[in-house]
Amino acid sequence: MSTGRLHDAMRALATLCLALSACARRPSPVPNSIGLSSGDTLDVLISGGTVYDGVHPDARRVDVGLRGDRVAWLGVAPPGVVVKQRIDAEGLIVAPGFIDPHTHAYEGLPRLGLERRKNIGALMQGVTTVVLGADGRGPLDVRQVLDSAAALGLGTNTYVMAGFGTVRSRVLGASSAAATPAQIDSMRALIAQAMAEGAFGVGSGLFYAPQSHASTEEVLAVVSAARPFGGVYDTHQRDESSYSIGLFASVQEAIRIGCESGLTTNIGHIKTLGVDVWGKADSVLAIMAAARARGCVVTADQYPWTASGTGLSAALLPRWAQAGGRDSMLARMADDTQRARMLEEVRENLRRRGGDSTLLLTGGGIGARPYIGKTLRDVALARDLAPDVAAVTLIQEGSDMSVASFNMIEDDIVRFMRDPFVMTSSDGSDGHPRLYGTYPRKLRHYVLERGVISMARMVEASSAQVARVYGISNRGELRPGAYADVIVFDPKTVGDEATYVEPTRLATGMHWVFVNGVSAVKDGQPTGALAGRTLRRR
Ligand SMILES: [Zn+2]
């Protein structure tokens, strides 16, 4: 069998394994090297480390050799091999670079400045690949965005999801109307084009206006344009709480859209948001398991924080109030009857999320600056307003601020984390420490201190499993022939430093990060290398 055919067969098996937890972690026998013999040269030899390869359930004490942009060797290097750079990894952990399937790091490409493109906050967490286009915000012109981003240079690899939200806004604007058949055809064509240009699936953010205005049938009709290409339907689902259709119906809707489109369904940043759904993690996981039993492939990703990060208006305003865009919203706010109805719903949303002291204002435009670091309660007291009025006033004044919303409970986070189909993601966004601290936090608090999951499972859920689910080839595993995305970190010092007050403090403990064989973190310091590549789904 040719290597290509073997690869296809292995990938098909891996896809099947996604539906069977029994084989999801079975190690595959791997050869030690791609033809390494005495007199050969390795660019880098990482020796003496504890190696988690992303697939194997046990750690191994082997050396890892890199040559060019690939992993060339796992094992004890044969005598006579010439090594250009030796890294002593005694006491350190060696793993595949992490792949973050829900980030906002590269939104705005290719117009992002150099510092953003370096993506140092991610690299210092061991993240070597990030998605572009979470929450349905993927680019329309995938090929052009990837080509120009590659020409400019990126610190981490990136792959793209086609964006339901982007496509709907292009065709319907901010309208709350149902799409006509002709509009659905236009949207389908845009999705098919993005897929043909290398997107790894379709993202949606049905929680957000105007995407929230699309019915299940409309989303299904549009997303199913990706069927010939395969991939993932990844969603910030319509309701993580009790806002509209409720958490359970929302999970069912996501699965229906993904499964009937012939795609893998991935529930982005899975959570139970708010008092009405606390304690329901097991029920959500049961819905996903039942769908798998019916033959649907269903996964999720998760960040390890009790606060979500979103916009003040997305968190509190009813969607009817936002229909048509900002001007229409302001007109409704100026109308007494509509304002009264709006405030009533804002009060209900505040109750749902846990009250005005659980919303921490974390960012926004210039007008927002005086409020950053304060809770909605602080602002309401300072301005002598009721909390609901304070929130609407802030939005009216133009400060649609970002908020950290403390709306999750630890028990649900742990239950989701232990599920073998739940991967790691950051959902990194400005103002929330998850942008700079997710992976080290999970390592420190959930793996090393509390043992919620094992180190091997942590590595798998953050690398090989993500590559398998999304069809990212030759990454996420340490094996000869794979791309040399490799991290070396110290389990004694790895940890998150970012806080809600200082969300951009870099994580600690990451000694070496290689991206395509190039050191992006060297002796604990970022090098500023732009070694990332733009990935296209084959
Ligand atoms: Zn989201």
Side-chain angles (χ1 to χ4, degrees):
M1 200 187 285
S2 73
T3 353
R5 298 259 301 274
L6 181 67
H7 235 97
D8 286 350
M10 284 171 69
R11 195 186 300 168
L13 183 66
T15 309
L16 187 69
C17 278
L18 281 171
L20 303 163
S21 59
C23 72
R25 291 203 218 172
R26 189 172 301 163
S28 53
V30 285
N32 262 355
S33 79
I34 40 174
L36 185 73
S37 53
S38 181
D40 280 354
T41 300
L42 286 175
D43 291 321
V44 180
L45 186 69
I46 304 164
S47 61
T50 302
V51 176
Y52 291 89
D53 64 8
V55 182
H56 206 276
D58 304 306
R60 290 184 286 170
R61 288 292 294 265
V62 290
D63 299 344
V64 178
L66 314 182
R67 185 165 51 208
D69 64 356
R70 304 286 176 140
V71 175
W73 174 261
L74 249 74
V76 178
V81 169
V82 180
V83 175
K84 290 186 187 167
Q85 182 187 10
R86 248 173 228 283
I87 292 173
D88 177 10
E90 191 67 44
L92 306 180
I93 288 175
V94 185
F98 297 145
I99 303 174
D100 189 342
H102 199 108
T103 84
H104 301 282
Y106 284 152
E107 271 169 23
L109 270 180
R111 291 175 304 282
L112 284 183
L114 177 63
E115 281 312 307
R116 292 296 286 259
R117 281 186 286 112
K118 283 182 186 168
N119 211 4
I120 284 168
L123 288 164
M124 291 296 280
Q125 299 181 60
V127 172
T128 54
T129 301
V130 301
V131 72
L132 165 63
D135 294 343
R137 299 179 196 159
L140 278 177
D141 42 359
V142 171
R143 181 180 295 137
Q144 195 194 321
V145 166
L146 290 181
D147 285 350
S148 43
L152 285 165
L154 302 174
T156 47
N157 303 309
T158 193
Y159 67 96
V160 166
M161 298 296 284
F164 172 75
T166 314
V167 162
R168 193 180 203 271
S169 294
R170 164 59 68 93
V171 174
L172 280 98
S175 170
S176 60
T180 65
Q183 287 170 326
I184 286 175
D185 283 347
S186 304
M187 290 191 273
R188 282 179 60 86
L190 290 168
I191 292 291
Q193 185 191 335
M195 293 300 296
E197 292 181 5
F200 284 68
V202 187
S204 78
L206 302 186
F207 172 67
Y208 294 106
Q211 297 183 61
S212 56
H213 305 309
S215 68
T216 310
E217 301 304 325
E218 180 188 319
V219 183
L220 177 56
V222 173
V223 170
S224 62
R227 179 194 303 278
F229 304 91
V232 177
Y233 170 62
D234 170 66
T235 184
H236 178 153
Q237 59 178 317
R238 198 181 290 276
D239 195 352
E240 298 174 313
S241 183
S242 56
Y243 271 98
S244 53
I245 60 174
L247 174 62
F248 297 159
S250 177
V251 172
Q252 301 275 20
E253 179 194 43
I255 292 170
R256 186 180 158 217
I257 293 167
C259 200
E260 290 188 17
S261 298
L263 307 176
T264 293
T265 304
N266 186 68
I267 313 269
H269 46 60
I270 196 165
K271 64 172 77 75
T272 52
L273 190 163
V275 296
D276 296 342
V277 290
W278 282 349
K280 305 288 189 199
D282 283 346
S283 306
V284 171
L285 291 168
I287 293 171
M288 293 166 60
R292 266 178 232 120
R294 299 195 304 271
C296 304
V297 184
V298 185
T299 60
D301 59 68
Q302 176 200 35
Y303 54 81
W305 306 86
T306 52
S308 67
T310 188
L312 189 59
S313 55
L316 295 181
L317 285 185
R319 291 297 171 267
W320 62 260
Q322 296 172 281
R326 183 166 172 86
D327 288 346
S328 315
M329 177 187 77
L330 291 176
R332 289 185 194 106
M333 285 174 171
D335 175 278
D336 284 348
T337 318
Q338 296 192 73
R339 183 182 178 85
R341 198 181 135 207
M342 204 181 296
L343 287 171
E344 191 181 318
E345 294 193 42
V346 168
R347 285 193 293 276
E348 170 61 6
N349 288 339
L350 272 170
R351 177 203 66 79
R352 193 172 263 136
R353 283 184 177 257
D356 56 357
S357 62
T358 67
L359 283 183
L360 179 70
L361 303 164
T362 57
I366 295 170
R369 277 195 197 139
Y371 308 116
I372 293 176
K374 297 191 162 59
T375 64
L376 180 60
R377 172 173 288 178
D378 296 334
V379 176
L381 287 173
R383 296 186 61 166
D384 200 19
L385 297 169
D388 54 335
V389 179
V392 169
T393 305
L394 282 174
I395 295 165
Q396 237 174 338
E397 287 171 353
S399 313
D400 185 16
M401 308 187 62
S402 45
V403 293
S405 167
F406 291 81
N407 56 46
M408 284 168 259
I409 54 170
E410 196 59 34
D411 186 59
D412 282 338
I413 290 174
V414 164
R415 282 167 196 272
F416 283 131
M417 194 177 288
R418 287 197 174 120
D419 188 87
F421 294 91
V422 177
M423 304 173 282
T424 318
S425 70
S426 71
D427 194 11
S429 55
D430 288 333
H432 193 299
R434 64 194 183 188
L435 178 59
Y436 281 70
T438 286
Y439 290 79
R441 177 181 174 82
K442 190 167 167 182
L443 282 164
R444 169 61 42 207
H445 297 288
Y446 292 91
V447 178
L448 295 163
E449 284 178 0
R450 295 168 55 191
V452 169
I453 55 170
S454 68
M455 182 61 75
R457 174 62 194 144
M458 166 66 192
V459 172
E460 179 195 39
S462 312
S463 59
Q465 190 175 18
V466 186
R468 210 159 58 214
V469 167
Y470 281 84
I472 300 167
S473 53
N474 275 329
R475 297 187 192 272
E477 285 181 43
L478 288 186
R479 60 169 164 72
Y483 287 100
D485 296 341
V486 184
I487 64 176
V488 182
F489 62 92
D490 187 345
K492 293 186 293 299
T493 57
V494 72
D496 55 315
E497 294 289 318
T499 65
Y500 291 97
V501 181
E502 292 183 281
T504 59
R505 292 182 62 178
L506 294 171
T508 55
M510 206 52 63
H511 285 211
W512 292 86
V513 176
F514 291 90
V515 179
N516 298 301
V518 176
S519 52
V521 175
K522 179 180 183 180
D523 275 329
Q525 296 300 318
T527 65
L530 297 174
R533 293 188 186 165
T534 52
L535 313 181
R536 286 166 177 80
R537 193 171 204 275
R538 290 201 211 110

